[in-house]
Amino acid sequence: MTRTLTIPRPDDWHLHLRDGAMMAGVLPATTAHFARALIMPNLVPPVVTGLDAAAYRDRIVDALPQGAGFTPLMTLYLTEATVAADVVAAHKAGMITAVKLYPAGATTNSASGVRDFDRVRAVFEAMAEAGVPLCVHGEVTDPAVDIFDREAVFIDRVLDPLRRAVPGLRVVMEHVTTADAVAYVQSADAGLAATITTHHLVINRNHILAGGIRPHYYCLPVAKRERHRLELLAAATSGDARFFLGTDSAPHADALKLAPCGCAGCFTAPNTLPVLAHMFEAADALPRLGDFVARFGAAFYGLAQNPGTLTLIKGDTPQSFGAWPTGAGPVTVFDPGFEVLWRVACRDERLPRP
Ligand code: DOR
Ligand code: ZN
């Protein structure tokens, strides 16, 4: 039986594109499906000023496939040297959509991130005043804290005190992985939201470690126990507008993943929508997919829903995703571990009658 689902053109509220040959290689995977994406600034060196963001946006636009109706929404990488006035000016000029907080050492290319949160208090206050959202990588980096506890501890030690100290700050807790984070967001007022990735809805920590180590499932924050995954799935499919899609699609060349110290990141851009359609259908929540991928995030960021639609079709033949070629080497596409029967209809595809 063929099924179709038509949703507004979606947004990805957390995307790594990198730069140069890698960016040129992975960009079409996103632009084929998404109308907008919030672009992460953790390049080397990072995107720290409004001028950096403008230059990076130009490089993305230059690399867009022909005819791609795609808008990159830029972010600034917060450092202890960030100047509040530069952030506010870049936001006012429409150059940036948000600021990204990486605790120093928390993840890929986070060495320039924040060590002492008091040193960026003035930036947070200026952002609250000007309505600039803060996107947070919510993990502590204290080596004494177990890696599976780092998100929950971050809420108590950093996020909650920060939100109390700067109550007007709008915060997105990125790529939440725990029941603790879901509960914290649910308990908060309208100034807090969370993104959820595709892969954290599908895998738990057994997928990474049981029966052999699987580097392509290693990402940060690392996937947790099954009970946490179930809470994420419940939140994503609940219709609560505070939870929306940010894929955290994070391409690394296979040679850098399959290494003694492999990089963190799952590359989900090519199959996120088919995988999500499967997960939402299995949760009996297919009618809510459009909210999660195309409405709730835009509403939080104060943007209009994208014009146009995207249609997904469920057929009988599983799609396979393997290595995605790029000029920086092949990147393995996330394997959800089930047959992917949903696919995105090509623009010129003649759709079966409903
Ligand atoms: O798994 C991840 N990969 N998590 C992050 O926070 C960063 C990302 C990357 O840039 O590779
Ligand atoms: Zn990320």
Side-chain angles (χ1 to χ4, degrees), residues 93-112:
M95 182 51 59
I96 62 157
T97 298
V99 170
K100 179 68 189 264
L101 165 63
Y102 289 104
T107 187
T108 311
N109 302 335
S110 62
S112 314

Side-chain angles (χ1 to χ4, degrees), residues 157-247:
R157 279 196 200 167
V158 182
L159 186 55
D160 194 54
L162 166 64
R163 292 186 57 249
R164 285 175 197 277
V166 192
L169 189 61
R170 291 168 63 70
V171 176
V172 182
M173 199 177 174
E174 300 283 6
H175 42 50
V176 289
T177 61
T178 56
D180 312 63
V182 169
Y184 183 66
V185 172
Q186 284 167 341
S187 73
D189 57 24
L192 182 64
T195 54
I196 302 180
T197 76
T198 309
H199 48 285
H200 287 117
L201 292 176
V202 176
I203 62 166
N204 62 37
R205 64 192 201 175
N206 282 10
H207 291 83
I208 315 169
L209 294 170
I213 189 158
R214 293 190 173 70
H216 293 300
Y217 289 147
Y218 172 62
C219 64
L220 289 169
V222 69
K224 309 296 191 299
R225 290 175 182 273
E226 176 66 357
R227 75 176 178 87
H228 293 287
R229 185 190 72 86
L230 293 174
E231 287 296 325
L232 299 176
L233 190 59
T237 57
S238 66
D240 183 334
R242 292 171 291 190
F243 297 95
F244 45 85
L245 176 67
T247 65

Side-chain angles (χ1 to χ4, degrees), residues 14 16 18 42 102 107-108 137 175 218-221 248 250-252 264-266:
H14 184 131
H16 297 272
R18 319 297 187 203
N42 61 335
Y102 289 104
T107 187
T108 311
H137 182 110
H175 42 50
Y218 172 62
C219 64
L220 289 169
D248 198 12
H252 293 279
C266 296

